[in-house]
Amino acid sequence: MAGTIPQLHSLPVGEKPSSPPSTPTIDEDAELKTSATETTNLLEQHHEKFKNKYTEDGYILESKDEMDSEALHSAYQPDTQNGGVRKQRSQSQLSLLEEEMDQYNTKRKESPLVNFKMTERTKNYLVLTKIAILFAAFITIIVFFSINEEVEGHHDVLAVSESLPYFYEFTDLHESTDPILKFNIHGPLDKEFESNSIYNLNFTLFISNWSGTQIPVKTMSLPLREAEPDTNTEEWIEYTSRIDLPQVSDPNSTYGMLFETSVPDLVTFNFDYNTQPKSSELDVLIGLIILVLVYVLIGFELVHRTVAAMLGAFAVLAVMSAFNERPTLEGVMAMIDYETLALLWGMMTIVGIFSETGFFEWCALQSYKIAKGKVWTLITLLCVFAGVVSAFLDNVTTILLLTPVTISLCEVLHLDPRHVLIAEVIFSNIGGTATAVGDPPNVIIISNSDIQDAGYPHHNGITFTKFTLHMAIGIVFCMIAGYFLLRVLYRNKKLRLQDTPEITALKQEIEVWRRSAVSIMVVSREESTVKALLMQKVHQLETALHNLEYEEKEAEENTDGWVEIFNAMKSKYQIRDKTLLIKCGCVLTVTILMFFASSFLKNISLNIGWIAVIASLVLLIIADVEDFESIMHRVEWATLLFFAALFILMEGLTELGLIDFIGNLVAELIKDVDEQHRLTVAIVLILWVSALASSFIDNIPFTTAMVPIIISLSENEELDLPLEPLVWSLAFGACLGGNGTLIGASANVVCAGLAQQHGYPFTFIAFTMVGFPMMLGTTFVAMIYLLICHSALEWNS
């Protein structure tokens, strides 16, 4: 009969039901006639009656033995999303919920996730194992680091001419037990060390015995840049080599090196050396292993990325110490790029003060108005804006400015900021590739004097305008292809946060009602009524939850009501301090203009790091900041320390020869190709090697090592390769490759640090799952563009 609450019959303790239980149904009329007041009164009466017999989970214990054993045993927890419940320890059965309970237990037994679930004890063992391994590894690193003292090396400035050779005597080699001599010559050398020239620097290693007889061991020759002495040390080239020292039985024997040249005038150069053990021949392999281990620590999030970078940096220093190349503390500090750190600190401080004005939230609201509430329109606007701004402003600075705006915008629209930030920083790196000032590798390339003078006097070389023209056209195609690829990668991603506040509150309410229903033992008609009413309430709320989730899903696709949402948020997100906003705006505008001016005006002796620091101090003064500590809390100190450790790590890998090994390998592969296809292979090799290498190592030292290599390839008459396509290939590869992993580009790390500070961290794997396919796709488009322009159309001048 409609309106009648069904009665649930109870069973005596220990007796099982004779037929399978089923969940009773409640007519719709009955649901409507049951008021919330009646339900609440019945629930209060029930809890008053059984208040001393509940467990902490809300279940009734029927004997003292069960009460004693409850603390020692646990059962399945309720599965609130699927209606599952925990099985009672007593023999009493809940007729209302046993069917749901059986389904829940069956589902758990069939689930592979349950079968392979890691216990808490296993997790603790794994954590302890990780700590033990890292601790043992670090102790080993400390031991190797402490083996040898700090060395500054043997540095001398030598000068030779055709009529004035020089004999350099090694006074300490006979005392060394290390069998390898490593030496560096830094002077006016030709970039192509194996080229033939009439002007050479020749040097021969001799052994002098007790009678004064000199026995030659090995002779080498290096081509000089030109006949006239070159006093511009900024253009000097460094050459590094190793010589196996022969075993000498005579303790009085000494080693020496004779330097000669065919140049009539004096040729000046720097010479330094040190001895190394036999294991130093494996320096490239050891450097590669260290790099891989650092990526394992970061990729699997075994430790924080800053700790991983610090361990890697210390490991590189330990290897250098074992090879008798342990730098001094001042030398280690010199490995750090303080210009980058100064830029980051200054801009972080400015952004920290700027955020007090409410400007970022206001910008987020205006972006919502422009996009009319459409999610993908917002993402498109942010990505295009990030790419365009990064073309004219350093992409690290761009991300520092845009990340707070993006997070505020996502919070207003209840979007997941992590997906939006990853897309934004990827397009920032793509856009920064378009000009000479958008990305640090481009700055390194265009600032090289040989690249600027390429083709002189027949051409003007590679200027800022020519560089931007060639790069910007290709980047337009890369951004278009990258956008469509991003849509594909994000097609199954839930861009909105998992639950809105309304849905979260409703789920919590359902949980409360469900646990109350489960806690009732059916022993009387009144309790049967209360349980039925509570389960009825649960079903009503679940229906409301499904309806609300459906409405939220429809809201993502249907944005007709965006005006009402905008008006509702308009009063909440406003400018809080207009005076501070004007001050911050003026300082930031002047700072950006100075960034541009420093790239073109030679009489401004300030790099972008100094400009950022000066601007932050000016803003601290005119803003009259009293709570300085709160501003400093907004600075990502972990990110700054990560960059410092990363610079040391990459400089150490350069000292171990890993970067040069990659560059020389590319050069050798190009030389082995037929002349007809040499340019095509050179473009493809330089582009893809640069992209893949820059995904896993910092693109700044890699670009620094590759610039002399591509210049030497273009100057090699046998290869006959134009310089321009090699420059574009290196620029495209080094910049686009930064999207491959989280630490591939500085902007990625900065964005991740700011996102974590705001409570939205994204992992190394999460970034790589999007960034690496984007890197492959955009690099492929760049390759097609370069091959069409330079292999097919020969647009090389």
Side-chain angles (χ1 to χ4, degrees):
M1 177 178 176
T4 303
I5 302 299
Q7 181 177 354
L8 301 178
H9 299 284
S10 62
L11 293 172
V13 175
E15 182 178 341
K16 296 182 179 180
S18 57
S19 60
S22 60
T23 303
T25 59
I26 301 176
D27 295 336
E28 184 177 358
D29 293 340
E31 294 177 5
L32 295 175
K33 292 181 179 180
T34 304
S35 66
T37 304
E38 294 174 344
T39 302
T40 305
N41 292 335
L42 288 172
L43 184 60
E44 291 177 352
Q45 294 175 14
H46 177 78
H47 278 285
E48 182 66 23
K49 181 178 180 181
F50 294 100
K51 63 181 179 180
N52 295 325
K53 299 180 67 175
Y54 283 111
T55 67
E56 61 180 1
D57 290 329
Y59 298 99
I60 297 176
L61 300 178
E62 301 195 12
S63 67
K64 185 177 184 301
D65 294 336
E66 283 187 288
M67 294 179 184
D68 294 337
S69 64
E70 177 66 15
L72 301 176
H73 302 281
S74 63
Y76 293 130
Q77 296 295 327
D79 186 355
T80 58
Q81 294 182 353
N82 299 297
V85 298
R86 188 177 76 170
K87 193 173 181 179
Q88 278 260 35
R89 299 184 198 281
S90 70
Q91 298 298 318
S92 298
Q93 303 296 319
L94 292 177
S95 301
L96 179 67
L97 299 172
E98 185 172 343
E99 186 176 342
E100 295 181 27
M101 178 190 69
D102 291 338
Q103 293 175 355
Y104 173 71
N105 289 334
T106 302
K107 181 180 178 181
R108 284 183 60 87
K109 292 178 181 178
E110 295 175 353
S111 174
L113 295 177
V114 173
N115 296 334
F116 291 98
K117 185 176 181 180
M118 189 180 299
T119 63
E120 194 66 28
R121 177 176 295 181
T122 303
K123 291 180 181 179
N124 292 334
Y125 283 151
L126 290 177
V127 171
L128 292 176
T129 302
K130 179 195 73 173
I131 294 175
I133 293 175
L134 291 178
F135 180 75
F138 188 66
I139 293 298
T140 305
I141 291 173
I142 294 299
V143 171
F144 277 97
F145 183 76
S146 307
I147 288 177
N148 295 314
E149 296 180 354
E150 296 177 348
V151 294
E152 297 184 2
H154 302 81
H155 301 280
D156 292 284
V157 179
L158 308 180
V160 296
S161 67
E162 186 178 16
S163 59
L164 185 65
Y166 186 87
F167 185 81
Y168 187 91
E169 183 175 359
F170 300 102
T171 58
D172 56 347
L173 285 189
H174 65 282
E175 301 175 355
S176 175
T177 58
D178 295 322
I180 295 179
L181 172 66
K182 179 182 178 181
F183 62 93
N184 299 298
I185 296 177
H186 188 217
L189 306 175
D190 192 281
K191 303 177 186 63
E192 190 67 30
F193 294 133
E194 299 179 0
S195 62
N196 297 322
S197 174
I198 59 174
Y199 300 109
N200 298 308
L201 177 64
N202 306 312
F203 46 96
T204 304
L205 179 66
F206 285 94
I207 297 179
S208 302
N209 56 24
W210 61 273
S211 62
T213 304
Q214 293 183 342
I215 304 173
V217 176
K218 187 175 182 179
T219 300
M220 305 179 69
S221 180
L222 294 175
L224 294 173
R225 181 189 297 268
E226 53 190 11
E228 296 298 327
D230 192 345
T231 57
N232 185 9
T233 58
E234 295 182 357
E235 305 296 330
W236 282 10
I237 301 297
E238 185 173 4
Y239 174 80
T240 302
S241 183
R242 290 185 174 90
I243 298 179
D244 292 330
L245 297 176
Q247 297 293 331
V248 180
S249 57
D250 187 0
N252 296 320
S253 298
T254 59
Y255 294 90
M257 186 170 286
L258 177 64
F259 292 94
E260 301 173 300
T261 183
S262 55
V263 179
D265 300 316
L266 283 175
V267 177
T268 306
F269 58 93
N270 296 327
F271 177 76
D272 63 88
Y273 72 93
N274 68 298
T275 57
Q276 294 185 339
K278 192 68 177 178
S279 59
S280 63
E281 296 178 345
L282 302 175
D283 51 359
V284 174
L285 178 60
I286 295 173
L288 180 61
I289 292 174
I290 293 175
L291 183 64
V292 171
L293 292 178
V294 170
Y295 266 87
V296 169
L297 292 177
I298 296 177
F300 290 95
E301 297 184 330
L302 299 178
V303 294
H304 192 276
R305 62 176 178 270
T306 303
V307 178
M310 294 173 67
L311 290 175
F314 226 113
V316 168
L317 295 178
V319 173
M320 294 176 64
S321 176
F323 293 166
N324 295 329
E325 292 181 322
R326 176 182 168 183
T328 62
L329 182 59
E330 293 78 8
V332 174
M333 293 296 101
M335 296 179 179
I336 300 174
D337 186 353
Y338 289 102
E339 179 181 347
T340 301
L341 296 185
L343 170 65
L344 292 174
W345 181 86
M347 295 307 299
M348 286 179 180
T349 303
I350 293 175
V351 171
I353 300 174
F354 214 151
S355 62
E356 298 291 333
T357 64
F359 177 75
F360 296 140
E361 292 83 355
W362 182 84
C363 287
L365 191 59
Q366 298 307 311
S367 300
Y368 177 72
K369 180 181 179 181
I370 295 173
K372 297 182 179 180
K374 297 178 181 179
V375 174
W376 267 107
T377 304
L378 282 172
I379 296 177
T380 303
L381 287 174
L382 290 173
C383 290
V384 172
F385 184 75
V388 173
V389 173
S390 295
F392 302 98
L393 189 64
D394 185 291
N395 54 4
V396 173
T397 305
T398 303
I399 291 301
L400 281 169
L401 296 174
L402 287 184
T403 298
V405 178
T406 303
I407 293 176
S408 299
L409 174 61
C410 292
E411 289 177 341
V412 169
L413 303 181
H414 206 68
L415 298 176
D416 190 341
R418 290 166 291 193
H419 300 314
V420 182
L421 288 174
I422 290 175
E424 192 173 80
V425 73
I426 287 174
F427 275 85
S428 175
N429 291 329
I430 296 175
T433 313
T435 66
V437 296
D439 217 0
N442 291 354
V443 177
I444 295 173
I445 292 172
I446 199 63
S447 61
N448 185 276
S449 60
D450 290 322
I451 291 179
Q452 293 175 353
D453 299 334
Y456 182 83
H458 304 289
H459 304 289
N460 293 328
I462 300 179
T463 62
F464 180 91
T465 303
K466 179 184 288 188
F467 186 94
T468 302
L469 177 63
H470 281 260
M471 297 295 294
I473 296 175
I475 285 302
V476 170
F477 295 110
C478 289
M479 292 193 72
I480 294 174
Y483 176 76
F484 287 107
L485 180 57
L486 182 70
R487 293 295 296 259
V488 173
L489 294 172
Y490 275 15
R491 66 188 185 279
N492 295 324
K493 288 187 181 294
K494 190 175 180 62
L495 297 179
R496 293 190 181 272
L497 290 174
Q498 194 66 25
D499 291 324
T500 63
E502 294 80 7
I503 292 179
T504 302
L506 191 54
K507 284 185 176 180
Q508 293 173 348
E509 185 178 356
I510 292 174
E511 171 72 7
V512 173
W513 285 97
R514 186 188 299 278
R515 291 179 70 86
S516 299
V518 171
S519 67
I520 298 177
M521 174 60 60
V522 180
V523 294
S524 66
R525 180 179 179 278
E526 291 80 5
E527 288 156 356
S528 299
T529 302
V530 172
K531 182 178 285 289
L533 292 172
L534 294 179
M535 289 305 299
Q536 169 187 311
K537 183 66 174 179
V538 170
H539 293 314
Q540 288 176 339
L541 293 176
E542 286 179 340
T543 302
L545 175 63
H546 294 320
N547 292 336
L548 187 58
E549 289 177 337
Y550 178 78
E551 292 174 0
E552 289 291 336
K553 184 177 180 181
E554 288 292 315
E556 294 184 12
E557 303 174 358
N558 183 15
T559 57
D560 293 338
W562 71 271
V563 177
E564 290 76 8
I565 299 176
F566 174 80
N567 292 330
M569 295 186 298
K570 190 174 181 180
S571 59
K572 181 178 180 182
Y573 299 104
Q574 295 181 344
I575 302 298
R576 296 190 293 267
D577 192 335
K578 293 183 179 180
T579 303
L580 182 60
L581 175 62
I582 295 174
K583 296 177 180 178
C584 293
C586 293
V587 171
L588 186 59
T589 301
V590 173
T591 302
I592 295 175
L593 291 176
M594 289 296 295
F595 285 163
F596 282 112
S598 64
S599 303
F600 300 100
L601 301 180
K602 302 299 182 182
N603 55 347
I604 298 180
S605 301
L606 294 175
N607 56 40
I608 58 176
W610 276 116
I611 294 173
V613 170
I614 293 173
S616 63
L617 292 176
V618 170
L619 185 56
L620 286 171
I621 294 172
I622 66 176
D624 193 21
V625 175
E626 297 180 357
D627 192 0
F628 182 76
E629 289 78 9
S630 65
I631 299 299
M632 290 299 100
H633 286 162
R634 297 177 182 269
V635 175
E636 272 294 309
W637 297 105
T639 301
L640 297 179
L641 187 58
F642 171 78
F643 273 111
L646 188 64
F647 287 137
I648 297 174
L649 172 62
M650 292 305 167
E651 187 66 26
L653 294 178
T654 303
E655 292 292 331
L656 293 180
L658 178 61
I659 310 298
D660 291 332
F661 172 79
I662 297 175
N664 294 329
L665 181 62
V666 174
E668 292 299 324
L669 290 175
I670 294 175
K671 292 177 181 178
D672 294 337
V673 178
D674 294 336
E675 182 178 356
Q676 182 180 359
H677 306 290
R678 191 166 288 162
L679 178 59
T680 301
V681 173
I683 291 173
V684 174
L685 267 180
I686 294 176
L687 175 68
W688 282 103
V689 170
S690 301
L692 294 174
S694 297
S695 295
F696 298 96
I697 60 178
D698 189 44
N699 52 17
I700 295 176
F702 178 80
T703 304
T704 304
M706 284 295 296
V707 166
I709 292 175
I710 64 173
I711 292 175
S712 64
L713 290 175
S714 67
E715 294 178 349
N716 191 319
E717 297 180 358
E718 180 183 355
L719 296 179
D720 192 25
L721 293 174
L723 178 62
E724 287 88 346
L726 305 184
V727 170
W728 317 141
S729 301
L730 177 60
F732 272 115
C735 296
L736 296 179
N739 284 328
T741 64
L742 182 61
I743 65 175
S746 303
N748 305 350
V749 181
V750 172
C751 184
L754 292 175
Q756 185 174 13
Q757 186 184 50
H758 286 79
Y760 301 102
F762 51 85
T763 63
F764 179 92
I765 297 298
F767 184 92
T768 305
M769 292 296 290
V770 179
F772 201 79
M774 288 287 291
M775 181 274 293
L776 295 178
T778 53
T779 304
F780 179 79
V781 173
M783 180 186 70
I784 300 300
Y785 165 75
L786 290 172
L787 291 178
I788 292 176
C789 291
H790 300 286
S791 291
L793 303 179
E794 298 184 357
W795 184 27
N796 299 329
S797 62

